[in-house]
Amino acid sequence: MRRPTPDDGPNSGLTVGTLSPGKVLTCPPDLPLGQAITHMRDNNCSSIVVVRSNKPIGIITEKDVLSLPADSQSALAAPIENHMSHPVHTISVHASQQAAIVRMRDLNVRHLATIDEQDHLAGIISQTDLIRQVAVSKALSANDVETAIRRSTLFVDARLSVKDLRLKMHAEKCDNAIITGYSADLPAAEQTGIITERDILRHLIDGDEDQFAGDIATRPVTMVTHTINLNDARSIMMRDHIRHLVVHNRHKEVIGVLSFADLLYFIEQDYFAQLRNLSEDKNSDAAKARWSLLLARKLIETSPDCVMVCNAHGDIEAVNPAFTRVTGYQAEEVIGKNPRILQSGRQDKAFYETLWTEVLRTGTWEGEIWNRRKSGEIYPEWLSIMAIRNSEGITSHYAAIFTDIGGREKNRENIRRLAHTDELTGMPNRRRFSELLSHHIGRSRHQGMRLTVIMLDLDNFQRVNSALSHNDGDDVLIEVARRISRQLGQDAVVARVGADEYAAILPDVQSDHEARTLSERLLDRLREPHLTRNGTDLYLSASIGIACFPDDAHDTSTLLRNAELAMMEAKDQGRNRVSRYRQALLTRKGEDLALETAFRHALDNQELHLAYQPQFDARTQELCGVEALARWTRSDGTIIPPSTFIPIAENIGAIGELGRWVMRTACRQLVNWRTQGLLNLRVAVNVSVQQFYGTVDFAEQVRAILLDKGVAADRLEIEVTESLFMRNIDDMRVKLQRVRDLGVNISLDDFGTGFSNLSYLRTLPFDSLKLDRSFVIDIDNGKDGQALALSIIKMAQNLGKTCVAEGVENHHQLAFLRNAGCDLIQGYLLGKPMSADDISAIAKNQHPLAI
């Protein structure tokens, strides 16, 4: 077989019939499913075709195995026709390989049965066959793995039963799962496994229902970095005879899986790009020749648009499946006839004369035309006609390519409406509001009048959707819109400009006092209870910002921005209030933006470093561990406190990157201390709630960092605050347990400042709790101030947890805590945050401190 040349187009000479189908497994419909799957396993095939009279009537693939009922053994004993996919999707042996790729994509399948002219089974073609046989695509060479991987990868624990895993893979439509949670004592290469549909199939045949995912997973997995070329990834898969690659980032953290299906997507896109370029380059003689050769074989079968080929006399010679789907005519009904059978009558004779005059003059015509379906329905289409000439320049054929744009016409009015209207409330949306505001500003400028704009945002509205339902949330948003409109009156222009954000133009409000009074009345109106669907009262508040033309801005975008700045200040001041724009807000906002920008470069510029605050045994005063604290010193020497840059990191979505940097740096320092002979130190790292809800599982991140740095899991402790559980306590319990299963210690920070109670403390997986600094300060206030600290220490003892007191600043506090049974002490009395070298000096001395 020769290698296709560029003039051939994308694999132009190769059909699905040229692929070697290997062993095509077939069986009758009454064969027990279990026997069929056994044949698949024994022959290492991914499918078996069910036939009757040598015609395919159904198929069972590895994917179908996932959908078997929980009682899989009874299903295995049933005839295969009870569980086969039918009708089986087929393709002609004469179809192109690209046609197979497109058909698989359209049908969302990984196998096609190939049939001959009598519809008899000729073979089977799979994604694996296509990946191995198609010529190397430029799209693969031009893209990295990161552009193709599926980031919705399924991560499961090794202790999950295989039965539950099978059901989970089916429910989440995953053909593979990454297996984690193996013993930390295993080598790094054995810490991650993968299970594919083929593994599930083999497990069903073995019939061991007691096995766990970790027992059947393939280890070690074949891993590649996210930056390698897609074509190189394809070569690895072909070399190692595998269909999946596990992909990791530069930190060795697993971020997804690359499969044959992902590669086929890029090959398909490259094919269509080549075909499109070929049709557009119609002025080249070589391109015309290629077009003539490819037209019937490629375009007719694979084009997503309707294609009709006519001879020089105008008689139809060929149409594609899309033509039948749109017009309703089968090929045999139109071949040999003139295309005028499609005419709707909406265009007159002069229209068609002009059309053909243009085709004869230039060889092409393109435009909108109305045609009639077989059913009689008239519909609009976008039509392109091209004249095809032979080597002597004589027109031999005409090719017409058209697309049904009827849905576009029907939806045009809806699109106009949706483009300007909020669908939920029926109010103007942000785009329409901006247009109306521009109009009002122009009128106010002409009349020399003042114009007031308010921006309103509901406070903490996300809690409504979280605590109730989205239907209840929608009801509230509609009611809020009504109350705003009624309170502001008919002359106001009110719009919903965000999820829980509204804006209003107040053309008749001519003073700041009037604007503030009206806004405060609106807040009073919104504070009245909202009745939910279940009959309960819901109380809300809002924050309002005011800006005026021409005092605060002279154009639409600036006026809106300034109203939003005032609204944000109202939120910063405690919410449920009104704020008037002033120039200082813009200055502060600019400073905040500059600081955000500086923080994005802080890690790259090595401006961040860690300080370590020591923790001492309350009885022996020996150094037991440290808390790692991020510090930021800018290149100009300016020190930015954590209370400033931690919220910035959370707001701009960089807290995950910061958290990983802190953990990697702290673990690296643990290794340095270990080389100095300091073997018993433990380091604590603070963790934000956002780190638990990133794209990569947090426990996997921790495991990868521990493996990369070579740190024992029990030397690391993560500190979480009680607020972490406000989002979803059950979900967070599971996520924390995955971390604790690694051997990592978990500390509950700021204990006592949230919703502390024994009912959840008994079930949460944590090892220690930190007595908040506010309670330590209260120790100096006598017995009343000491009572709560004493209670928390006793609670920790009763639960078998370690108690750490932070913020210890004097000897009286230390003596009380020590006598009360507190385990560890942290605070300025014993040690401020310091450098790693200072910690080394303290640890090496390890003599009781003079206190």
Side-chain angles (χ1 to χ4, degrees):
M1 184 183 297
R2 69 181 179 87
R3 183 180 180 87
T5 65
D7 288 341
D8 290 323
N11 290 24
S12 61
L14 303 178
T15 66
V16 296
T18 64
L19 295 180
S20 174
K23 296 181 179 179
V24 182
L25 293 185
T26 62
C27 69
D30 58 351
L31 184 73
L33 176 62
Q35 293 185 31
I37 295 178
T38 301
H39 291 332
M40 291 169 61
R41 180 197 62 183
D42 295 343
N43 290 276
N44 200 32
C45 289
S46 59
S47 64
I48 186 167
V49 182
V50 184
V51 297
R52 182 182 286 126
S53 301
N54 201 28
K55 291 186 177 181
I57 62 172
I59 189 172
I60 284 286
T61 69
E62 294 169 334
K63 181 179 181 180
D64 295 319
V65 172
L66 295 180
S67 63
L68 294 180
D71 182 14
S72 57
Q73 295 308 311
S74 61
L76 294 176
I80 192 172
E81 63 181 340
N82 291 3
H83 297 283
M84 68 183 184
S85 296
H86 63 88
V88 61
H89 298 297
T90 61
I91 193 169
S92 169
V93 292
H94 304 297
S96 68
Q97 294 177 12
Q98 278 69 32
I101 293 174
V102 174
R103 188 162 177 78
M104 284 183 182
R105 190 279 312 269
D106 290 343
L107 298 173
N108 193 27
V109 297
R110 299 204 296 265
H111 299 79
L112 293 172
T114 58
I115 55 175
D116 59 18
E117 289 77 1
Q118 288 76 42
D119 293 334
H120 290 163
L121 179 67
I124 190 81
I125 182 172
S126 68
Q127 288 181 344
T128 302
D129 300 322
L130 291 169
I131 285 293
R132 293 183 180 279
Q133 296 294 334
V134 295
V136 175
S137 168
K138 290 186 293 184
L140 297 185
S141 301
N143 288 274
D144 293 338
V145 165
E146 188 173 26
T147 63
I149 61 172
R150 286 169 287 170
R151 295 184 180 272
S152 56
T153 303
L154 183 62
F155 287 84
V156 300
D157 191 270
R159 288 169 295 182
L160 183 70
S161 71
V162 178
K163 178 192 294 185
D164 291 340
L165 173 61
R166 175 169 61 85
L167 298 176
K168 191 175 183 67
M169 289 173 63
H170 173 62
E172 301 194 19
K173 296 180 174 59
C174 290
D175 61 357
N176 68 87
I178 298 296
I179 311 302
T180 62
Y182 291 98
S183 171
D185 297 333
L186 293 174
E190 297 290 331
Q191 291 287 330
T192 303
I194 189 171
I195 290 180
T196 65
E197 294 169 343
R198 183 158 297 183
D199 299 317
I200 298 292
L201 180 144
R202 291 171 177 166
H203 166 76
L204 280 179
I205 298 303
D206 294 338
D208 186 355
E209 294 290 344
D210 297 327
Q211 280 188 302
F212 296 102
D215 300 329
I216 71 170
T218 300
R219 292 184 295 160
V221 298
T222 302
M223 280 200 180
V224 296
T225 180
H226 66 294
T227 58
I228 77 163
N229 184 272
L230 273 177
N231 192 48
D232 292 338
R234 170 183 181 262
S235 300
I236 294 172
M237 297 164 82
M238 295 177 63
R239 181 197 67 198
D240 296 346
H241 305 288
I242 56 178
R243 293 182 292 178
H244 301 83
L245 290 175
V246 178
V247 184
H248 63 77
N249 61 19
R250 59 190 177 93
H251 302 305
K252 305 298 183 182
E253 299 163 350
V254 175
I255 60 174
V257 172
L258 180 76
S259 70
F260 278 168
D262 305 317
L263 294 177
L264 279 178
Y265 171 81
F266 277 88
I267 293 175
E268 175 193 359
Q269 297 305 307
D270 185 51
Y271 162 64
F272 278 121
Q274 292 184 50
L275 195 60
R276 192 179 304 111
N277 292 337
L278 187 61
S279 66
E280 291 174 352
D281 190 19
K282 52 184 175 291
N283 292 324
S284 162
D285 291 338
K288 293 173 185 176
R290 291 198 301 271
W291 178 257
S292 299
L293 292 172
L294 286 171
L295 189 58
R297 186 169 58 245
K298 288 287 189 292
L299 192 57
I300 289 180
E301 179 147 13
T302 66
S303 175
D305 297 327
C306 305
V307 177
M308 177 175 64
V309 181
C310 299
N311 59 25
H313 302 291
D315 300 325
I316 300 174
E317 287 193 351
V319 294
N320 71 341
F323 175 95
T324 298
R325 185 180 68 250
V326 170
T327 67
Y329 288 100
Q330 298 294 327
E332 57 269 21
E333 295 180 279
V334 296
I335 290 177
K337 297 182 178 180
N338 191 282
R340 69 173 60 94
I341 64 172
L342 301 175
Q343 290 182 7
S344 66
R346 283 203 177 187
Q347 279 94 11
D348 56 18
K349 182 179 179 181
F351 172 84
Y352 290 100
E353 289 177 349
T354 301
L355 183 158
W356 283 106
T357 298
E358 182 70 11
V359 172
L360 295 173
R361 184 177 68 84
T362 66
T364 63
W365 182 88
E366 186 174 43
E368 184 176 316
I369 191 172
W370 287 81
N371 273 341
R372 187 185 302 274
R373 307 188 207 274
K374 182 180 179 181
S375 64
E377 178 190 359
I378 296 175
Y379 68 97
E381 67 183 38
W382 188 261
L383 173 65
S384 298
I385 300 177
M386 290 175 287
I388 303 173
R389 297 182 175 90
N390 58 22
S391 58
E392 298 176 356
I394 299 174
T395 299
S396 62
H397 291 83
Y398 296 97
I401 303 175
F402 59 91
T403 303
D404 181 0
I405 59 173
R408 188 187 312 169
E409 292 292 327
K410 292 177 182 178
N411 291 330
R412 186 171 294 172
E413 187 59 35
N414 286 336
I415 291 173
R416 290 195 193 100
R417 179 179 58 82
L418 292 175
H420 295 92
T421 306
D422 174 58
E423 189 172 5
L424 179 65
T425 64
M427 287 181 162
N429 60 13
R430 191 179 191 94
R431 176 180 176 182
R432 180 57 177 161
F433 183 78
S434 296
E435 293 175 354
L436 293 171
L437 180 58
S438 178
H439 170 73
H440 276 270
I441 288 177
R443 187 172 65 179
S444 296
R445 181 181 290 113
H446 177 72
Q447 297 175 351
M449 300 288 287
R450 176 189 176 102
L451 184 68
T452 299
V453 173
I454 67 170
M455 191 72 65
L456 180 149
D457 186 84
L458 298 178
D459 296 330
N460 297 320
F461 182 73
Q462 65 273 12
R463 293 183 304 176
V464 175
N465 288 332
S466 300
L468 301 175
S469 68
H470 285 280
N471 287 333
D472 285 315
D474 289 347
D475 290 345
V476 171
L477 292 172
I478 293 172
E479 177 59 23
V480 167
R482 290 172 181 163
R483 293 188 187 185
I484 295 174
S485 297
R486 291 170 184 166
Q487 185 64 40
L488 297 183
Q490 295 182 350
D491 293 332
V493 178
V494 183
R496 182 178 177 224
V497 295
D500 53 3
E501 193 173 2
Y502 300 81
I505 302 170
L506 308 176
D508 296 330
V509 174
Q510 296 299 311
S511 69
D512 288 344
H513 175 73
E514 186 180 358
R516 181 173 290 275
T517 300
L518 187 59
S519 297
E520 289 175 348
R521 288 175 182 168
L522 177 58
L523 290 185
D524 292 338
R525 183 74 178 89
L526 294 177
R527 280 195 293 266
E528 296 175 6
H530 298 257
L531 187 65
T532 64
R533 295 189 179 193
N534 62 8
T536 60
D537 287 338
L538 178 68
Y539 292 87
L540 293 174
S541 66
S543 300
I544 294 179
I546 302 173
C548 299
F549 167 87
D551 300 346
D552 303 323
H554 294 274
D555 60 87
T556 303
S557 59
T558 305
L559 190 61
L560 279 176
R561 181 200 64 188
N562 292 347
E564 287 189 76
L565 287 175
M567 181 265 292
M568 291 169 62
E569 184 191 41
K571 285 189 173 295
D572 293 342
Q573 291 177 345
R575 300 184 175 89
N576 191 28
R577 63 189 63 213
V578 178
S579 176
R580 173 73 165 84
Y581 172 78
R582 60 188 188 280
Q583 181 64 32
L585 295 181
L586 182 60
T587 303
R588 190 184 70 184
K589 195 65 178 177
E591 293 172 350
D592 292 344
L593 181 60
L595 198 58
E596 289 179 5
T597 303
F599 181 77
R600 292 183 183 277
H601 300 291
L603 280 172
D604 294 335
N605 296 341
Q606 298 182 340
E607 295 178 358
L608 293 175
H609 66 279
L610 290 186
Y612 302 91
Q613 185 165 26
Q615 296 175 342
F616 298 92
D617 187 290
R619 291 175 295 278
T620 66
Q621 289 96 55
E622 288 188 325
L623 180 66
C624 299
V626 297
E627 180 180 0
L629 302 169
R631 296 291 186 261
W632 180 15
T633 303
R634 299 185 62 175
S635 56
D636 61 3
T638 304
I639 297 176
I640 311 297
S643 58
T644 297
F645 71 79
I646 295 298
I648 287 177
E650 292 178 333
N651 290 337
I652 66 176
I655 194 67
E657 182 181 3
L658 175 61
R660 287 189 293 272
W661 175 85
V662 170
M663 192 172 297
R664 285 196 298 268
T665 305
C667 287
R668 187 185 307 118
Q669 184 56 51
L670 271 178
V671 174
N672 293 340
W673 282 327
R674 187 174 63 197
T675 60
Q676 298 173 24
L678 308 179
L679 306 179
N680 297 321
L681 287 182
R682 176 185 295 168
V683 64
V685 175
N686 291 282
V687 176
S688 166
V689 63
Q690 293 183 23
Q691 293 176 250
F692 282 92
Y693 290 93
T695 56
V696 180
D697 181 75
F698 179 70
E700 285 301 309
Q701 296 181 40
V702 175
R703 185 187 63 82
I705 291 173
L706 291 173
L707 289 174
D708 181 53
K709 303 305 178 186
V711 172
D714 63 349
R715 296 294 90 194
L716 177 65
E717 179 176 87
I718 67 167
E719 293 189 2
V720 298
T721 63
E722 288 185 279
S723 60
L724 199 70
F725 306 102
M726 294 293 288
R727 183 167 183 166
N728 186 329
I729 188 170
D730 293 327
D731 181 54
M732 190 54 61
R733 182 186 294 112
V734 173
K735 293 181 183 296
L736 285 176
Q737 187 61 54
R738 286 175 52 79
V739 175
R740 200 177 188 214
D741 289 343
L742 298 174
V744 175
N745 294 281
I746 298 175
S747 176
L748 195 56
D749 197 8
D750 296 338
F751 183 77
T753 61
F755 60 107
S756 312
N757 63 74
L758 286 173
S759 62
Y760 86 84
L761 279 178
R762 286 195 300 267
T763 61
L764 291 178
F766 71 96
D767 303 278
S768 62
L769 58 84
K770 298 190 75 172
L771 184 62
D772 186 66
R773 180 176 180 272
S774 61
F775 301 127
V776 173
I777 293 174
D778 280 347
I779 291 174
D780 294 330
N781 296 328
K783 290 186 177 181
D784 290 341
Q786 297 167 1
L788 191 51
L790 186 60
S791 298
I792 294 174
I793 293 172
K794 294 302 181 184
M795 184 186 298
Q797 293 172 343
N798 292 335
L799 292 172
K801 310 298 183 183
T802 300
C803 185
V804 184
E806 57 182 353
V808 180
E809 297 182 354
N810 61 54
H811 297 285
H812 177 252
Q813 295 169 355
L814 175 62
F816 174 85
L817 293 168
R818 183 167 49 199
N819 293 334
C822 185
D823 299 291
L824 299 179
I825 301 297
Q826 177 180 338
Y828 277 22
L829 175 66
L830 305 184
K832 297 181 179 180
M834 59 187 69
S835 68
D837 291 339
D838 291 336
I839 293 293
S840 300
I842 293 176
K844 290 176 181 178
N845 291 332
Q846 278 297 335
H847 58 75
L849 300 178
I851 41 181

